[in-house]
Amino acid sequence: MAELLAVKVGLSYAEDELPEVISAVVGPRLSHAQFIQVLRDEYTRVSPSAELQRLLNYTWHRIYTWNIDDALSNTAHAVQRRRYFNGLADKVSAREGHEYLQIVHLHGESQKPEHGFIFSQADYNARLNRNEHDWYRELAADCVLHTPVFIGSRLNEPILSAELDRARPPSAPGLGLAFLVTPDTFTEVQLSSFNTRNICVIQATLEDFVAWLEAKIGGAITPIDVLRENNAFGAKLVSNTTVSAADLDAAKYIVLRDWRSAQGEGDKLGGSTRRREARSFLEGTAPTWRLVSTNIPVWLQRTESLLRAMTDAIRDRERCFVCHGQAGSGKTTALMQCLLRFSRENEGSIIYELRSDIRSLRAALQLISRLHKTEHVVLYIRDAFIFGDSFAEDVLGIDPGRITIVTSARSGEWRDHIERRIETFTKTFVYERFGPNDFEPLVERLVDYVPAPDFLKLSQPEKLEKLRSSKSQLLIALRETTASERFSDVITKEFLGLPDDDCRYLAIIVGLSTLARSGIKESEAKAAYERIFTKRNFEQCLLALEGIVSKDSGGRLWARHELYVRHIIENVCDINVIIASIIEVLRTYTKYKIPVVKSVSRLDSLLFKFLLNHNFTSELARRRHAKEEGRAIYEEFEVEFQLDGHFWLQYGQYLVSIGRDEEALSILNKSIRAYSDNPYAVHAYADLQLKVAAKRPYYDSVTEKLIGDAVKTLEGQLAYAALDWDQYPIVTLSEKYVGAMIKHNKNEKAKELATQYYRELEKIVRFNAAKPLQVARERLLHYISTGRWYQGSLPKFEENPKAQPRVGSRAKRGQRTN
C-alpha cells in the first residue's frame, strides 16, 4: 500500500514506512475521498488464495486479522458458520460455540470505511489514548487461555504489544506456548525477546503452515469432530443422529458421569496433591467429582437417608428431585456422593451432568430425549437457582418419565422462589445438620488433613465434644473446631492477614462473583483488577490467594465459599473497596452490545445482574450507613448502559430504597423507554407512582393522574401476568392503591377496593400460597373487619389475643395511616 500511494501521487518510493507515506500523501496530495476510493479499488472483491480457503477447513476458536481486505469473506467454503466483526466499531461478542467462527478485522474493513482504519502511528495512539480497543483486549485474553498462532506478522503492532505484555507478562507463571509463523527473519535479540514471552518463531508461509496441518492431522477438522473427540455425550450423539448447530452448542455442556471414571481419577489423587485438595475441601472449596469419589468427604448419616429418597424418586421416574438446605450444610457433596453410589449400584444407569453455563436448559432436555428415546436418564444440575424463572416451563416441555432432574437449592431460595413453581412435579429432601454418628469420622478427616496444633493436642473425647457443642451447619462447625475460635473471627483474621490491599481487592472481585453463584472468567477478573492494583501483578496476586481463590474446570475463578465471602463483605471489608470492585467488574461489561444480558453467557449474565441488583447494594449500604456511596455504582454507568433497561430498573429501585422517590420516577421511566417490554420495570414504575401519590399532601390533579396511570398499568398486568411471576400486581393494588385512598381520606373508595381485591386474593391463594399474596389478603381482611390500616407488620391475633384491636380503638403509633 505504501508503494501504491507514493507512486499514485508521483513520489519516488524507497521502502518508506506506511505511516510516513500516509502522512505525506493523504491530505496534502490525495483527498480523503480519493484515498478511500483507492482502498475500495485495491482491497474489495479480493480473491482468496488456495491456502487461505484450506485454512477454513479447520475449526478455530477465533480469527483476528490486521488486513482490511475482504478475502476471508470471499472464501467459498468453511467448516464453521462465519460471523464478521469490525474491531473499530462493533462491540465485543461472546463466543457462540465451535459451530460459529468469529472473524475480527482489528484495523477496519475496506467495505466499511465510515468506521475508520488504523494505518499510522497517530491512529494507534488515538485508539490507545481513547481506550477504544476492546477487541484487542479480547485477543490478548484469548492468547492467555488458548494457543495462539500468529501468521505473517512481525508482532510490532503497538496496541497488540501493549495488550500482550499485559496479558502475557514475561514473569507470569504457567503460560503456554504461542506460535509465530512468518517468512521474515529476525535478529538474535529479537528471537530472544520472543522466547521470553513463550512465543515460538517458525520461519514459514501460510501455505507451509496449512500443508503441515494437512500432513499432521488430515484435511479438515469440523465442529462435529471436535465434539466427538472431547465429549462422551457428543460422541454418542453424532454417531446416532443428525445434529444441527444448536445441537452442537447444547451438547458440549452435557457431561457423562459414572462411578468408574470418577474413581479412576480419584485413585490418581495422592501425596501432596491429595492433602492440599482435602484441606481445601474441608475448609469450604466446592467439591469435585474426583474428590467426592475418594473417602475424603465423610458419608454422613443424613446422606444415607438422602440416597434412599433420591433412589425412590429416580425409580418412580419423577420429573425432579430437589435436595435443599442451608449454605454450608454439605448438601452438594452429599448429592454427588449419592449419584456416584447410585451409578455403582445400578449398572447401566445413565447419569449426565449439565454445566451451568449452557444457554438453554430446554435445548439440553430435548437433545437428551432425542438420544435416549426409550431409556430413562438422570440429569444432575448442581444449582437450581441458576436456571431461574424458566426452570418449570423447560422441565414440563419434556414428556414425563423420560428424565429425572436431580438438583439442589438453598433453603431461602427454595422457600421464596423455587418451590411454588415446581412443587407439583418435584420430590424434595431437606438436608439437615450432621449427627452424633458423624462426629468420629469427621474428627478423623480433620486430624488427617487440616493443620491445627491445638486441636491435635486434645484427647479423642475432647475432639468429639468440640463437634458436639457446635450448633452451626457443617462447614462452620468444622472450621470452628480446628481453629478454636468463632467462624467469623477466623475469617476476619484470614482476610485482614492477606499480604496487602492488592490481594484484598482481588479476593473481593472473585468473592462478589461467588456470592452471585457465577464465578468470574479469569480474563475479566484480571481486567477489573488491573484498574485497581498498585504493586502486585495479577499472577502474583492470584498465587498469594492460593487456598482462598480457585479455578474450576471451565476457567472461572471462585472464592472458597459463599459463607466466607458474605461475612467479609457484610462486616469486614471497607465499603469503598467493595464499591470500587463492583464498578471495575461492571466496567468489563461495557464492551458488550446492549442489552448486556443477551450478549453474554448465562453465568456472565448472572454476575452482571447480581452486581447491579438493588437489593444487594441497598442492604450493603444500609449496613454501612453509606447510601450515597452505593449510588455511585449506578452513576458511574449512566452513559455506557443508557440503553439497557435492566440497568435503569435497578438504579431506580435503589433510589427508592434510599428514599429518593421523585428521582426514582425519572430513572424508572428511562428503564421503560429503554426496554418497554420488561414487566418488572413497568410494575416497579406503577408501584412507585402509587407510593409518591400517597406521600403528596393534597389529592390534586397530579396525585390523581399518578394513581390513575398506575392503576391502569397494574390492572392490565393483572389481566395477563402469569401467577408464578415474583412481582404481583394484585398485591401492589391491594396495598399501595388502597393505602393511597386511605391516606387521602377516600375511605368509601378504599373499602370498596379492599373488598374487591380481597375476593380476588381469596381465589388466587387457593393454588398459589406465596407469602406476599397471603400477607396482602390478611391486611385487607384486617382493614375490612376493623377499619384499621396497618403499614407495618400485622398484629398476630393467634399468638397474642390481647393484641387484637377493637373497632373504634386507637392503633399503635406508627402503624396506622388515615
Side-chain angles (χ1 to χ4, degrees):
M1 184 190 292
E3 183 177 7
L4 174 73
L5 291 172
V7 171
K8 190 173 186 65
V9 298
L11 295 176
S12 59
Y13 177 71
E15 302 297 326
D16 302 288
E17 294 291 331
L18 176 63
E20 295 176 344
V21 174
I22 288 179
S23 298
V25 169
V26 179
R29 297 170 181 264
L30 200 66
S31 71
H32 181 72
Q34 290 174 315
F35 175 56
I36 295 302
Q37 189 58 49
V38 171
L39 299 183
R40 287 189 185 278
D41 292 342
E42 297 294 330
Y43 297 101
T44 60
R45 299 181 298 279
V46 172
S47 297
S49 65
E51 58 267 29
L52 184 61
Q53 299 204 58
R54 285 153 53 204
L55 186 73
L56 298 187
N57 287 332
Y58 299 90
T59 297
W60 301 101
H61 179 82
R62 274 192 179 118
I63 287 181
Y64 297 88
T65 177
W66 290 287
N67 297 339
I68 67 168
D69 64 68
D70 58 2
L72 277 165
S73 60
N74 293 335
T75 52
H77 171 74
V79 296
Q80 295 167 281
R81 299 183 181 186
R82 284 166 281 178
R83 309 274 203 215
Y84 296 93
F85 297 89
N86 186 310
L88 305 185
D90 295 328
K91 289 283 191 179
V92 171
S93 176
R95 285 190 70 247
E96 300 168 80
H98 293 313
E99 62 276 15
Y100 291 99
L101 172 62
Q102 294 179 338
I103 297 176
V104 184
H105 288 266
L106 291 167
H107 287 183
E109 298 172 90
S110 56
Q111 295 175 321
K112 300 177 181 178
E114 65 273 16
H115 298 310
F117 301 96
I118 293 180
F119 290 132
S120 67
Q121 189 64 46
D123 295 332
Y124 281 115
N125 292 340
R127 288 283 164 178
L128 284 167
N129 292 335
R130 295 201 304 268
N131 203 22
E132 294 178 352
H133 51 282
D134 288 328
W135 272 113
Y136 262 104
R137 289 202 181 98
E138 196 71 7
L139 164 58
D142 282 340
C143 288
V144 171
L145 294 173
H146 306 284
T147 303
V149 181
F150 303 101
I151 300 175
S153 170
R154 297 184 67 85
L155 294 189
N156 59 358
E157 308 285 334
I159 303 178
L160 177 67
S161 296
E163 291 303 326
L164 276 181
D165 286 343
R166 181 183 298 172
R168 296 173 63 90
S171 60
L175 281 176
L177 277 176
F179 295 93
L180 172 57
V181 179
T182 177
D184 292 347
T185 56
F186 298 96
T187 66
E188 287 189 17
V189 170
Q190 289 169 330
L191 289 172
S192 178
S193 175
F194 283 128
N195 188 53
T196 62
R197 288 188 287 171
N198 278 12
I199 298 174
C200 178
V201 179
I202 299 172
Q203 191 170 9
T205 63
L206 173 62
E207 184 177 11
D208 296 330
F209 175 61
V210 173
W212 178 84
L213 285 174
E214 291 170 340
K216 290 290 184 181
I217 54 179
I221 295 179
T222 69
I224 289 178
D225 295 330
V226 174
L227 182 65
R228 184 188 292 114
E229 290 297 319
N230 292 296
N231 182 293
F233 174 82
K236 187 170 183 178
L237 180 71
V238 298
S239 63
N240 285 275
T241 184
T242 303
V243 296
S244 66
D247 294 337
L248 287 172
D249 183 56
K252 65 177 177 286
Y253 297 100
I254 303 170
V255 184
L256 182 67
R257 296 296 181 195
D258 69 272
W259 70 273
R260 282 191 178 87
S261 59
Q263 186 171 305
E265 290 297 313
D267 289 344
K268 298 175 185 176
L269 193 60
S272 60
T273 303
R274 181 185 178 91
R275 291 192 296 272
R276 183 173 62 253
E277 291 196 18
R279 177 183 176 182
S280 182
F281 165 72
L282 291 168
E283 292 182 342
T285 300
T288 63
W289 290 101
R290 176 172 73 169
L291 185 134
V292 168
S293 71
T294 70
N295 67 350
I296 293 170
V298 174
W299 183 273
L300 300 173
Q301 185 177 6
R302 191 65 177 157
T303 305
E304 195 67 42
S305 302
L306 172 62
L307 175 62
R308 289 195 297 270
M310 185 194 77
T311 301
D312 289 344
I314 294 172
R315 287 177 178 165
D316 292 341
R317 298 199 171 197
E318 299 287 351
R319 286 185 183 273
C320 196
F321 176 80
V322 177
C323 173
H324 58 93
Q326 289 179 294
S329 63
K331 62 185 179 300
T332 300
T333 302
L335 205 51
M336 294 169 70
Q337 287 177 308
C338 289
L339 286 165
L340 290 182
R341 178 76 65 88
F342 181 86
S343 171
R344 189 175 65 194
E345 295 176 354
N346 295 270
E347 286 291 341
S349 59
I350 303 168
I351 301 175
Y352 292 114
E353 179 180 13
L354 187 65
R355 286 171 44 195
S356 300
D357 46 350
I358 189 169
R359 296 175 188 275
S360 169
L361 171 59
R362 177 171 295 189
L365 295 174
Q366 290 174 341
L367 200 56
I368 292 170
S369 294
R370 260 176 49 206
L371 182 58
H372 298 281
K373 294 179 180 178
T374 60
E375 301 158 302
H376 179 241
V377 173
V378 177
L379 180 63
Y380 172 61
I381 296 174
R382 185 174 287 244
D383 192 344
F385 168 80
I386 297 294
F387 292 96
D389 296 347
S390 66
F391 188 87
E393 184 180 352
D394 291 341
V395 173
L396 291 174
I398 303 299
D399 293 337
R402 304 290 305 282
I403 300 173
T404 296
I405 294 176
V406 174
T407 186
S408 66
R410 304 279 168 83
S411 298
E413 291 165 355
W414 169 254
R415 181 182 60 250
D416 296 338
H417 301 292
I418 303 172
E419 180 180 17
R420 59 189 168 79
R421 290 187 170 95
I422 68 172
E423 61 180 335
T424 57
F425 58 83
T426 299
K427 295 294 183 183
T428 63
F429 184 88
V430 181
Y431 199 82
E432 297 167 333
R433 59 176 281 106
F434 58 97
N437 291 343
D438 304 320
F439 295 163
E440 193 166 331
L442 285 171
V443 165
E444 180 184 319
R445 301 303 191 279
L446 294 175
V447 169
D448 286 346
Y449 297 114
V450 179
D454 291 339
F455 180 68
L456 188 61
K457 292 175 185 177
L458 299 176
S459 66
Q460 184 69 2
E462 290 173 326
K463 292 172 184 171
L464 296 175
E465 181 57 32
K466 280 270 193 179
L467 278 177
R468 184 178 289 107
S469 62
S470 175
K471 303 301 179 186
S472 299
Q473 54 263 52
L474 181 61
L475 174 60
I476 295 177
L478 294 179
R479 197 74 167 108
E480 290 183 339
T481 295
T482 53
S484 299
E485 289 183 277
R486 290 174 53 206
F487 181 79
S488 57
D489 294 337
V490 174
I491 304 312
T492 300
K493 288 180 180 178
E494 186 175 49
F495 179 75
L496 296 178
L498 289 173
D500 50 39
D501 286 341
D502 286 349
C503 291
R504 283 183 276 275
Y505 263 115
L506 185 56
I508 292 299
I509 287 171
V510 179
L512 288 164
S513 74
T514 303
L515 284 184
R517 314 264 279 284
S518 64
I520 183 171
K521 287 190 290 191
E522 184 174 351
S523 58
E524 306 297 16
K526 180 182 175 73
Y529 171 78
E530 288 179 341
R531 295 190 186 95
I532 301 174
F533 84 111
T534 57
K535 292 179 292 187
R536 291 177 187 261
N537 68 36
F538 178 79
E539 288 72 23
Q540 293 170 337
C541 196
L542 201 58
L543 198 61
L545 291 173
E546 185 178 6
I548 295 174
V549 170
S550 60
K551 188 191 302 185
D552 68 12
S553 58
R556 301 183 78 89
L557 298 178
W558 296 78
R560 187 184 293 153
H561 196 278
E562 179 189 340
L563 289 176
Y564 289 72
V565 178
R566 190 168 296 281
H567 171 69
I568 295 301
I569 286 179
E570 291 182 350
N571 304 291
V572 181
C573 187
D574 184 272
I575 183 71
N576 293 310
V577 171
I578 299 169
I579 289 172
S581 300
I582 291 173
I583 287 173
E584 294 310 332
V585 177
L586 281 172
R587 201 181 306 283
T588 66
Y589 287 90
T590 59
K591 63 186 177 184
Y592 294 109
K593 187 178 179 181
I594 302 295
V596 170
V597 295
K598 293 187 177 181
S599 301
V600 297
S601 70
R602 178 185 293 277
L603 292 180
D604 290 330
S605 171
L606 201 65
L607 177 56
F608 177 73
K609 290 189 286 187
F610 175 81
L611 295 174
L612 286 176
N613 186 277
H614 72 280
N615 287 322
F616 171 72
T617 308
S618 60
E619 177 60 21
L620 181 66
R622 184 193 65 78
R623 281 176 170 270
R624 304 303 187 84
H625 308 289
K627 292 180 179 180
E628 293 306 316
E629 286 89 336
R631 183 174 180 168
I633 294 171
Y634 304 97
E635 290 178 331
E636 184 74 23
F637 298 101
E638 286 183 338
V639 174
E640 288 88 344
F641 295 145
Q642 62 183 297
L643 296 179
D644 195 298
H646 179 75
F647 166 76
W648 292 116
L649 171 61
Q650 298 304 317
Y651 189 179
Q653 291 184 309
Y654 180 77
L655 291 176
V656 172
S657 72
I658 64 173
R660 304 285 195 271
D661 294 344
E662 297 286 350
E663 290 179 73
L665 273 177
S666 172
I667 295 298
L668 287 175
N669 193 31
K670 289 179 181 178
S671 178
I672 296 170
R673 293 207 304 271
Y675 182 28
S676 59
D677 293 332
N678 186 345
Y680 293 94
V682 173
H683 178 271
Y685 187 59
D687 180 286
L688 184 58
Q689 285 177 309
L690 291 174
K691 182 179 179 182
V692 171
K695 286 184 174 181
R696 290 181 59 81
Y698 305 108
Y699 191 80
D700 53 15
S701 59
V702 175
T703 303
E704 190 171 11
K705 179 170 174 48
L706 283 169
I707 293 174
D709 290 347
V711 170
K712 182 179 179 180
T713 296
L714 293 167
E715 288 184 342
Q717 286 194 324
L718 182 59
Y720 297 106
L723 291 174
D724 62 351
W725 188 34
D726 276 343
Q727 306 297 320
Y728 299 102
I730 185 64
V731 172
T732 306
L733 288 166
S734 300
E735 297 185 347
K736 299 288 177 66
Y737 186 17
V738 174
M741 291 293 99
I742 294 171
K743 164 63 171 59
H744 290 290
N745 295 314
K746 306 294 182 181
N747 295 311
E748 290 302 317
K749 181 65 173 178
K751 280 286 179 70
E752 176 189 333
L753 293 170
T755 303
Q756 173 190 339
Y757 294 144
Y758 175 77
R759 288 171 180 162
E760 292 186 35
L761 282 164
E762 276 282 88
K763 297 175 185 176
I764 294 172
V765 295
R766 291 173 189 170
F767 51 87
N768 188 340
K771 187 175 180 180
L773 295 169
Q774 296 198 55
V775 170
R777 183 186 61 164
E778 291 172 12
R779 194 182 309 280
L780 292 177
L781 177 60
H782 188 80
Y783 173 63
I784 293 168
S785 59
T786 69
R788 283 162 178 73
W789 181 253
Y790 282 81
Q791 293 287 79
S793 301
L794 290 167
K796 299 179 180 179
F797 300 149
E798 299 79 10
E799 296 177 13
N800 183 9
K802 293 181 181 180
Q804 182 172 358
R806 300 187 307 275
V807 175
S809 67
R810 294 181 62 82
K812 292 181 181 178
R813 185 178 302 276
Q815 287 184 316
R816 185 175 68 174
T817 302
N818 55 33

